[in-house]
mmCIF file of all heavy atoms in Angstrom:
data_model
loop_
_atom_site.group_PDB
_atom_site.id
_atom_site.type_symbol
_atom_site.label_atom_id
_atom_site.label_comp_id
_atom_site.label_asym_id
_atom_site.label_seq_id
_atom_site.Cartn_x
_atom_site.Cartn_y
_atom_site.Cartn_z
ATOM 1 N N SER A 9 -25.304 -63.361 46.512
ATOM 2 C CA SER A 9 -25.623 -61.945 46.171
ATOM 3 C C SER A 9 -24.763 -61.022 46.979
ATOM 4 O O SER A 9 -24.435 -59.918 46.548
ATOM 5 C CB SER A 9 -27.097 -61.684 46.466
ATOM 6 O OG SER A 9 -27.441 -62.002 47.777
ATOM 7 N N GLY A 16 -7.118 -61.670 52.638
ATOM 8 C CA GLY A 16 -6.269 -62.838 52.557
ATOM 9 C C GLY A 16 -7.022 -64.139 52.286
ATOM 10 O O GLY A 16 -6.426 -65.188 51.957
ATOM 11 N N VAL A 19 -12.116 -66.603 47.647
ATOM 12 C CA VAL A 19 -13.518 -66.412 47.385
ATOM 13 C C VAL A 19 -13.887 -66.968 46.012
ATOM 14 O O VAL A 19 -13.065 -66.884 45.051
ATOM 15 C CB VAL A 19 -13.847 -64.894 47.363
ATOM 16 C CG1 VAL A 19 -15.212 -64.615 46.741
ATOM 17 C CG2 VAL A 19 -13.804 -64.348 48.774
ATOM 18 N N ASP A 24 -24.637 -68.427 36.639
ATOM 19 C CA ASP A 24 -25.433 -69.375 35.888
ATOM 20 C C ASP A 24 -26.099 -68.598 34.750
ATOM 21 O O ASP A 24 -27.062 -67.842 34.987
ATOM 22 C CB ASP A 24 -26.487 -70.052 36.825
ATOM 23 C CG ASP A 24 -26.996 -71.317 36.236
ATOM 24 O OD1 ASP A 24 -26.839 -71.566 35.026
ATOM 25 O OD2 ASP A 24 -27.589 -72.126 37.018
ATOM 26 N N ILE A 26 -28.021 -67.645 30.967
ATOM 27 C CA ILE A 26 -29.246 -68.075 30.307
ATOM 28 C C ILE A 26 -28.940 -69.348 29.473
ATOM 29 O O ILE A 26 -27.900 -69.417 28.805
ATOM 30 C CB ILE A 26 -29.785 -66.968 29.416
ATOM 31 C CG1 ILE A 26 -30.302 -65.813 30.289
ATOM 32 C CG2 ILE A 26 -30.867 -67.445 28.486
ATOM 33 C CD1 ILE A 26 -30.714 -64.572 29.517
ATOM 34 N N SER A 38 -17.231 -50.809 40.561
ATOM 35 C CA SER A 38 -17.066 -50.113 41.841
ATOM 36 C C SER A 38 -18.133 -48.997 41.927
ATOM 37 O O SER A 38 -18.738 -48.611 40.927
ATOM 38 C CB SER A 38 -15.676 -49.467 41.908
ATOM 39 O OG SER A 38 -14.695 -50.466 41.804
ATOM 40 N N PRO A 43 -19.166 -50.702 34.541
ATOM 41 C CA PRO A 43 -18.589 -52.045 34.644
ATOM 42 C C PRO A 43 -17.226 -52.109 33.958
ATOM 43 O O PRO A 43 -17.056 -51.612 32.858
ATOM 44 C CB PRO A 43 -19.596 -52.906 33.888
ATOM 45 C CG PRO A 43 -20.911 -52.145 33.910
ATOM 46 C CD PRO A 43 -20.481 -50.697 33.849
ATOM 47 N N GLY A 53 -13.865 -71.933 26.592
ATOM 48 C CA GLY A 53 -12.546 -71.298 26.579
ATOM 49 C C GLY A 53 -12.643 -69.771 26.816
ATOM 50 O O GLY A 53 -13.627 -69.142 26.421
ATOM 51 N N ASP A 57 -9.027 -62.625 28.321
ATOM 52 C CA ASP A 57 -8.901 -62.509 29.752
ATOM 53 C C ASP A 57 -8.002 -61.308 30.086
ATOM 54 O O ASP A 57 -7.442 -61.208 31.193
ATOM 55 C CB ASP A 57 -8.343 -63.780 30.400
ATOM 56 C CG ASP A 57 -6.941 -64.073 29.937
ATOM 57 O OD1 ASP A 57 -6.381 -63.354 29.121
ATOM 58 O OD2 ASP A 57 -6.368 -65.097 30.441
ATOM 59 N N SER A 58 -7.941 -60.354 29.171
ATOM 60 C CA SER A 58 -7.010 -59.254 29.327
ATOM 61 C C SER A 58 -7.448 -58.280 30.461
ATOM 62 O O SER A 58 -6.626 -57.454 30.910
ATOM 63 C CB SER A 58 -6.922 -58.471 28.032
ATOM 64 O OG SER A 58 -8.199 -57.952 27.674
ATOM 65 N N GLY A 59 -8.667 -58.393 30.947
ATOM 66 C CA GLY A 59 -9.138 -57.516 31.988
ATOM 67 C C GLY A 59 -8.850 -58.022 33.409
ATOM 68 O O GLY A 59 -9.055 -57.247 34.363
ATOM 69 N N VAL A 68 -13.261 -69.873 35.409
ATOM 70 C CA VAL A 68 -13.425 -71.161 34.704
ATOM 71 C C VAL A 68 -14.845 -71.309 34.229
ATOM 72 O O VAL A 68 -15.792 -70.733 34.792
ATOM 73 C CB VAL A 68 -12.986 -72.369 35.521
ATOM 74 C CG1 VAL A 68 -11.510 -72.301 35.827
ATOM 75 C CG2 VAL A 68 -13.826 -72.520 36.787
ATOM 76 N N GLU A 71 -17.877 -76.601 31.510
ATOM 77 C CA GLU A 71 -18.829 -77.279 30.646
ATOM 78 C C GLU A 71 -19.545 -76.323 29.729
ATOM 79 O O GLU A 71 -20.554 -76.705 29.101
ATOM 80 C CB GLU A 71 -19.833 -78.046 31.506
ATOM 81 C CG GLU A 71 -19.155 -79.142 32.357
ATOM 82 C CD GLU A 71 -20.120 -79.915 33.211
ATOM 83 O OE1 GLU A 71 -21.321 -79.554 33.214
ATOM 84 O OE2 GLU A 71 -19.685 -80.843 33.911
ATOM 85 N N THR A 76 -17.327 -69.888 37.208
ATOM 86 C CA THR A 76 -16.912 -69.478 38.554
ATOM 87 C C THR A 76 -15.752 -68.522 38.457
ATOM 88 O O THR A 76 -14.758 -68.808 37.787
ATOM 89 C CB THR A 76 -16.485 -70.722 39.414
ATOM 90 O OG1 THR A 76 -17.567 -71.672 39.395
ATOM 91 C CG2 THR A 76 -16.172 -70.274 40.827
ATOM 92 N N GLU A 83 -7.879 -58.846 48.696
ATOM 93 C CA GLU A 83 -7.405 -57.561 49.254
ATOM 94 C C GLU A 83 -8.605 -56.583 49.346
ATOM 95 O O GLU A 83 -9.619 -56.792 48.683
ATOM 96 C CB GLU A 83 -6.352 -56.958 48.351
ATOM 97 C CG GLU A 83 -5.117 -57.871 48.170
ATOM 98 C CD GLU A 83 -4.106 -57.272 47.223
ATOM 99 O OE1 GLU A 83 -4.380 -56.218 46.619
ATOM 100 O OE2 GLU A 83 -3.029 -57.878 47.079
ATOM 101 N N ARG A 84 -8.438 -55.571 50.206
ATOM 102 C CA ARG A 84 -9.569 -54.631 50.380
ATOM 103 C C ARG A 84 -9.981 -54.000 49.049
ATOM 104 O O ARG A 84 -11.095 -53.701 48.815
ATOM 105 C CB ARG A 84 -9.196 -53.598 51.416
ATOM 106 C CG ARG A 84 -9.073 -54.184 52.812
ATOM 107 C CD ARG A 84 -9.010 -53.145 53.935
ATOM 108 N NE ARG A 84 -8.911 -53.804 55.216
ATOM 109 C CZ ARG A 84 -7.792 -54.190 55.786
ATOM 110 N NH1 ARG A 84 -6.630 -53.926 55.205
ATOM 111 N NH2 ARG A 84 -7.787 -54.778 56.990
ATOM 112 N N GLY A 85 -9.000 -53.788 48.178
ATOM 113 C CA GLY A 85 -9.262 -53.165 46.898
ATOM 114 C C GLY A 85 -10.081 -54.038 45.926
ATOM 115 O O GLY A 85 -10.539 -53.575 44.909
ATOM 116 N N SER A 87 -12.920 -55.231 46.822
ATOM 117 C CA SER A 87 -14.322 -54.977 47.136
ATOM 118 C C SER A 87 -15.007 -54.250 45.989
ATOM 119 O O SER A 87 -14.551 -53.197 45.489
ATOM 120 C CB SER A 87 -14.415 -54.099 48.421
ATOM 121 O OG SER A 87 -13.866 -54.794 49.545
ATOM 122 N N ALA A 88 -16.090 -54.850 45.517
ATOM 123 C CA ALA A 88 -16.846 -54.278 44.398
ATOM 124 C C ALA A 88 -18.034 -55.182 44.119
ATOM 125 O O ALA A 88 -18.198 -56.193 44.797
ATOM 126 C CB ALA A 88 -15.960 -54.266 43.112
ATOM 127 N N ALA A 93 -22.648 -61.503 32.734
ATOM 128 C CA ALA A 93 -23.599 -61.342 31.643
ATOM 129 C C ALA A 93 -23.426 -62.467 30.668
ATOM 130 O O ALA A 93 -22.330 -63.023 30.521
ATOM 131 C CB ALA A 93 -23.418 -59.995 30.997
ATOM 132 N N SER A 95 -24.638 -63.850 26.554
ATOM 133 C CA SER A 95 -25.230 -63.490 25.282
ATOM 134 C C SER A 95 -25.283 -64.677 24.343
ATOM 135 O O SER A 95 -24.455 -65.596 24.488
ATOM 136 C CB SER A 95 -24.507 -62.298 24.595
ATOM 137 O OG SER A 95 -23.272 -62.706 24.121
ATOM 138 N N TRP A 97 -24.461 -66.339 21.077
ATOM 139 C CA TRP A 97 -23.405 -66.156 20.086
ATOM 140 C C TRP A 97 -23.998 -66.017 18.713
ATOM 141 O O TRP A 97 -24.967 -66.706 18.383
ATOM 142 C CB TRP A 97 -22.477 -67.389 20.109
ATOM 143 C CG TRP A 97 -21.373 -67.353 19.082
ATOM 144 C CD1 TRP A 97 -21.201 -68.154 18.025
ATOM 145 C CD2 TRP A 97 -20.291 -66.418 19.036
ATOM 146 N NE1 TRP A 97 -20.097 -67.796 17.313
ATOM 147 C CE2 TRP A 97 -19.524 -66.746 17.915
ATOM 148 C CE3 TRP A 97 -19.893 -65.347 19.889
ATOM 149 C CZ2 TRP A 97 -18.351 -66.066 17.605
ATOM 150 C CZ3 TRP A 97 -18.772 -64.657 19.522
ATOM 151 C CH2 TRP A 97 -18.000 -65.005 18.416
ATOM 152 N N THR A 105 -27.248 -59.905 28.605
ATOM 153 C CA THR A 105 -28.200 -59.947 29.683
ATOM 154 C C THR A 105 -27.409 -60.107 30.972
ATOM 155 O O THR A 105 -26.653 -61.100 31.064
ATOM 156 C CB THR A 105 -29.226 -61.071 29.525
ATOM 157 O OG1 THR A 105 -29.917 -60.954 28.293
ATOM 158 C CG2 THR A 105 -30.213 -61.071 30.640
ATOM 159 N N SER A 110 -22.830 -59.959 42.312
ATOM 160 C CA SER A 110 -22.389 -60.431 43.647
ATOM 161 C C SER A 110 -21.606 -59.330 44.269
ATOM 162 O O SER A 110 -20.539 -58.926 43.737
ATOM 163 C CB SER A 110 -21.509 -61.684 43.527
ATOM 164 O OG SER A 110 -22.219 -62.831 43.033
#
Side-chain angles (χ1 to χ4, degrees):
Chain A
S9 55
V19 167
D24 200 341
I26 291 174
S38 300
D57 64 357
S58 62
V68 295
E71 298 179 358
T76 304
E83 299 177 356
R84 291 193 179 88
S87 296
S95 72
W97 178 246
T105 302
S110 292

